[in-house]
Each structure stands twice: as structure tokens, then as C-alpha cells.
Amino acid sequence: MIEKAAILDAIRQASISFGLNRFEVETTQRDLLAWLAQQQDAVRLYWEDDKCTERVAGLGTAHDYRVELGDTWLDQMKLIEKQVRLYPTMRYFGGISFSNAYDCQSPSDQLWEQFGGLRFVLPRFELGIKNERYYFAYNVLCQANETCENVIDTFSQLIDQLNWEVKSPSSLSMSVVGRQDCPEQSKWEEVLAQVQQDFDQNRYEKVVLARRSTFELSETVDPFLLLRGLKKSHSHTFNFGFQFEKGLAFVGTSPEYLFQTKERQIRSVAVAGTTLQTQQSALLENEKNRKEQRYVYDMIAAVLAQFCQNLNHTHDPFILRYYNVSHLCHLLEGNLKEDVSVSDVLMALHPTPAVGGVEKESALAAIQAYEPFQRGWYSGLVGVVGHESSCFAVAIRSLLVNKNYCHAFSGAGILKESRSDLEWDELELKIQNVKDYFHI
């Protein structure tokens, strides 16, 4: 095995130090998701940026940070930032729930327990590609008295458990045998009628309400093979998958990122408003869509103006395409001030009106009152934290895969002028890729 021999050589030549150590070697091209699907480790993850310049398949846990639902995540995020400054070659992959303060009060849902309010993992093994270079890496947390021989023995035992014979995945053989929407359409219409009363009382100006559509499959599906199939239909999306226990994973193909940083540069997008791609010419002319997107842009621009020098943005919204739909989008770019951290920006921006609403606290209270399920990581953030760069995608167009059940999430921005039937149709449009994948 080429990777084993190369890593062993790297360990022997290195000076083992107390704390985190990374051993990385070049390797040959592989189908990362197919490789990941064949591994038996309980912890598996995948991350791919929107330009496909970086793809990472991770296995196991060398080190992690975790916050339970209901606890604040800001302190842990600051610790992650400090950690990657101490260890510049290390990167943590993970996510943050939609709104920790509200998730903990929502209906109980044990499916999200392993994800928590925040969870970021430094994988034990990474197989990836960056800048057209394939690599394999072993990350390990060494104790003060750790010897080279100890590290070699542990590594040898762990790598021998991996499956390196990547087989071409077979075509989809399973079928959908049942579907249940939460809420159902009749309940959705009742909720939107209540929301209209809230608008009349000026409780908020916009609220994003979500639906969970549960598809029962004829057999268990591997979440990373499912992700592999879904992402084939998309370009310029953030493709992600996180599994922290066997049989349960959160995967998605998001067209939207909250922000990306590279050194002190920051880039963000304000995305909202939805229509079929065949009708996208009318998107810019639709007042409801423009108003919905403007709320998102105004909030992000106001926050970044506090944290940035030389903030620039596109003057008019442009069209962002995703599978069968199009969205309105503004791009914002700037340079972070020296005393501003990634954690500061996260805390100020998340959640934006694209997934929450306006006014923020009143909209979140409405979501808590009206949604009959816990969002968990859906419409939260997923991404990677590193020393030189970080990226956080908005966890939409996503599924929670639980053995032979796929919970597909979708949301719609509700304004006073919204119609319940059209918003329901929008929810359906946003899971069309899932329906097409399962041929339903």
C-alpha cells in the first residue's frame, strides 16, 4: 500500500511533538465519495467547495470541538480559531445548528443529538484533492511522552482497517415506498393564515418557514453514495456530508455560502427569491422576490460594514442558478479589520433573513411556534475552519439520512403578499433534485 509506506517514512523522519501532528503525502487519483462509502468508521465527512478546487473525504476523529444544543457556541468557535493559529496545517470540518437558542426549545428530536449545537472535527485520516493535487494525510494528537514507535504502531493498526479497493458504485436499485410531509399542506395553509395575522399586527416583516419531507426507501442507502449521485446534477455548489454515528448523516448540495475568508479578505453573498429557471427573466421584475432578497442584502451589508474596510458589492442583483430554480443574488467583498475574528462575523450574521426573517427575534419566535419539527443543522452552517482560510456554507438543499429514511428539507420566505399555494409549490421545487434522483 503506497499511502501506508509513505506515511510511515514521514513519521520516521519527523520529530514527534506534544500536541497535534500531521503527516501528509501525495497519492493517486480516486473517487473520494466512493472510497468514503466503503469505509466502516462511525465518523465520516465530506467537503467540496463551489469551484471544485478542494475536495476532502475525512475518516475518524483526531480532535474535535462540540457544543450541545442549548449551549452557546461562541467560546468554542474562538477556541477553534486559536487552535488553527497554533497548528496552521490543521483544519476543522463541521457545522453549527440553525439557532441553538431556539433548537433546544423545539420539539424533541433525537436524530440531531450527535450533531449538537456546534461540532467541528479534525479527521484522523484525510483523502483529498487541492489545487489538482491528490493527497493522503494522517492527523494525530500525541501525548507528552509519545514515541515514534507508539505513533507508528497506532497508525499501522488504524490504516490496516481501511478499504482501499474502490469499486464502481452500482446504479440505484432502491425505490421510494412512502412519503410524509411535516407539515402537510392543509396545516401549512393554516399556519400561513396565522402568519398573515401576525403581519397585520406588525410582529415581523418576513419569516422563513420550512417543511420536512420524509421519504421511506425500500432499502438502506449509504449517505455518501446518495451525495455522490445528487452532486452530479449540480455545478458551483458546496457539497457536504457529516456522519457522527453509523446509519445517520446530514448531506447536501448548497448553492449559498454565508462567507468565505482568505487571510483578511472576506466574501459573502445575499441570496433569496426563487422561481423556475424557465421563468427567470421575470425574477428581477417580481417585487415580492426583490423585496425578499433586499432584506437579506441589507442585513449582510450592514454587518460587514461594521467589520470591514473597503466594502464593495454588486450594484444590482444577479441571477444564481441551481438545478431547476433561479435565485436573486448580491456579492459583497471587503477586508476585515485587524481586531475582527471569524467568530465575530459568524455571531453577527447567523442566521440571516435568508433562513430566519425580519425582525430577527420576532421571526425566530414565529419559527419556534409554527414549525412542528426541529431544524437541527438544516439552514444552519457547514464548512471548514483553517488558519489561512475559512468557509461557511448555508446548509440548505439538504437531507438527514437515517438508514432507509431520507428527510428532505426546504423553506420559503413568507411576506405579507405571499400566497400559501405558491409558497407550497416553492417548497416542492426545492426538493425536485431529490425526487428526480429517486425517480418520483
Side-chain angles (χ1 to χ4, degrees):
M1 185 189 305
I2 298 173
E3 291 82 3
K4 181 177 180 179
I7 293 286
L8 286 173
D9 286 343
I11 295 173
R12 293 187 183 101
Q13 296 172 19
S15 175
I16 305 299
S17 58
F18 170 68
L20 292 172
N21 292 261
R22 179 180 178 89
F23 306 97
E24 180 179 317
V25 296
E26 288 195 29
T27 188
T28 55
Q29 180 177 347
R30 284 188 174 86
D31 184 324
L32 300 186
L33 283 167
W35 178 83
L36 195 59
Q38 294 183 179
Q39 309 309 321
Q40 298 303 310
D41 204 298
V43 176
R44 298 186 292 173
L45 63 86
Y46 182 82
W47 172 256
E48 179 180 323
D49 66 19
D50 61 332
K51 296 178 177 59
C52 207
T53 57
E54 179 181 22
R55 288 174 278 153
V56 181
L59 276 178
T61 304
H63 188 238
D64 70 345
Y65 292 89
R66 182 177 178 182
V67 172
E68 301 298 332
L69 286 171
D71 296 335
T72 178
W73 48 262
L74 180 60
D75 290 344
Q76 288 294 299
M77 182 55 68
K78 287 184 177 294
L79 287 176
I80 298 172
E81 287 191 84
K82 181 179 179 180
Q83 185 82 332
V84 295
R85 286 196 298 270
L86 290 172
Y87 300 99
T89 60
M90 306 297 176
R91 295 179 305 159
Y92 287 76
F93 301 84
I96 301 172
S97 69
F98 162 68
S99 174
N100 218 16
Y102 286 85
D103 277 348
C104 65
Q105 300 176 38
S106 300
S108 176
D109 192 341
Q110 294 182 351
L111 292 177
W112 291 112
E113 284 185 2
Q114 290 298 319
F115 295 88
L118 170 148
R119 190 161 182 178
F120 277 84
V121 171
L122 173 66
R124 178 186 297 120
F125 292 114
E126 293 177 30
L127 181 63
I129 178 173
K130 189 171 185 179
N131 299 324
E132 301 182 351
R133 170 184 171 269
Y134 279 85
Y135 70 89
F136 179 71
Y138 174 56
N139 300 310
V140 57
L141 178 61
C142 295
Q143 304 305 314
N145 58 349
E146 201 90 39
T147 65
C148 180
E149 288 73 19
N150 293 148
V151 175
I152 287 174
D153 289 344
T154 302
F155 167 75
S156 297
Q157 294 173 21
L158 291 170
I159 197 171
D160 286 344
Q161 298 173 21
L162 303 186
N163 186 349
W164 290 94
E165 297 297 324
V166 177
K167 302 175 182 178
S168 298
S170 57
S171 59
L172 180 69
S173 59
M174 67 195 68
S175 60
V176 174
V177 297
R179 171 177 173 173
Q180 183 175 4
D181 292 323
C182 181
E184 295 180 344
Q185 187 169 4
S186 59
K187 182 62 177 178
W188 172 263
E189 292 171 352
E190 292 177 13
V191 167
L192 262 63
Q194 182 61 56
V195 169
Q196 287 299 328
Q197 295 181 32
D198 293 346
F199 285 138
D200 292 340
Q201 298 172 22
N202 297 315
R203 293 186 177 178
Y204 41 81
E205 298 178 50
K206 172 187 176 180
V207 63
V208 179
L209 294 178
R211 183 187 72 183
R212 183 183 68 195
S213 298
T214 300
F215 296 94
E216 181 182 359
L217 308 178
S218 58
E219 58 187 85
T220 297
V221 60
D222 185 280
F224 295 96
L225 291 183
L226 173 58
L227 176 60
R228 182 179 183 272
L230 289 173
K231 85 182 194 74
K232 286 182 177 181
S233 302
H234 305 286
S235 59
H236 306 297
T237 55
F238 295 87
N239 304 313
F240 60 87
F242 294 93
Q243 174 186 290
F244 300 117
E245 65 174 80
K246 289 187 176 181
L248 183 64
F250 183 57
V251 303
T253 56
S254 175
E256 180 181 354
Y257 61 93
L258 183 63
F259 66 87
Q260 299 172 309
T261 63
K262 186 174 183 180
E263 296 178 344
R264 302 306 295 172
Q265 296 178 333
I266 187 169
R267 170 182 288 195
S268 180
V269 290
V271 180
T274 304
T275 190
L276 280 167
Q277 282 196 17
T278 55
Q279 302 170 4
Q280 71 178 32
S281 60
L283 187 61
L284 291 166
E285 302 170 5
N286 183 283
E287 182 60 28
K288 187 262 183 183
N289 282 317
R290 289 183 68 95
K291 183 178 178 182
E292 185 182 344
Q293 193 267 343
R294 191 72 192 187
Y295 283 129
V296 182
Y297 166 76
D298 286 347
M299 183 267 198
I300 294 177
V303 169
L304 292 185
Q306 299 175 35
F307 293 143
C308 288
Q309 300 170 334
N310 308 319
L311 182 64
N312 299 306
H313 57 84
T314 50
H315 185 267
D316 295 313
F318 59 90
I319 300 294
L320 176 68
R321 298 175 181 85
Y322 175 89
Y323 196 63
N324 59 325
V325 296
S326 296
H327 307 288
L328 289 176
C329 180
H330 270 96
L331 174 66
L332 303 95
E333 297 178 301
N335 294 298
L336 291 174
K337 297 175 181 177
E338 288 302 320
D339 60 343
V340 174
S341 69
V342 166
S343 302
D344 295 330
V345 183
L346 277 174
M347 199 67 182
L349 282 180
H350 177 58
T352 73
V355 294
V358 180
E359 300 284 334
K360 181 176 179 179
E361 297 304 324
S362 298
L364 291 177
I367 290 170
Q368 180 188 349
Y370 295 140
E371 288 187 356
F373 61 92
Q374 188 182 91
R375 287 195 188 185
W377 279 22
Y378 163 67
S379 70
L381 302 174
V382 290
V384 54
V385 183
H387 175 59
E388 294 184 349
S389 63
S390 297
C391 179
F392 299 91
V394 183
I396 56 175
R397 307 300 195 274
S398 51
L399 304 99
L400 184 63
V401 183
N402 182 24
K403 299 177 182 176
N404 67 315
Y405 289 90
C406 288
H407 307 281
F409 299 93
S410 54
I414 311 301
L415 304 181
K416 185 175 178 58
E417 51 265 53
S418 293
R419 286 175 44 185
S420 62
D421 57 338
L422 296 181
E423 301 298 349
W424 182 265
D425 291 344
E426 181 176 322
L427 297 176
E428 200 69 12
L429 285 175
K430 289 176 176 176
I431 63 167
Q432 189 62 48
N433 63 327
V434 178
K435 294 167 61 179
D436 288 348
Y437 179 78
F438 289 120
H439 306 297
I440 56 176

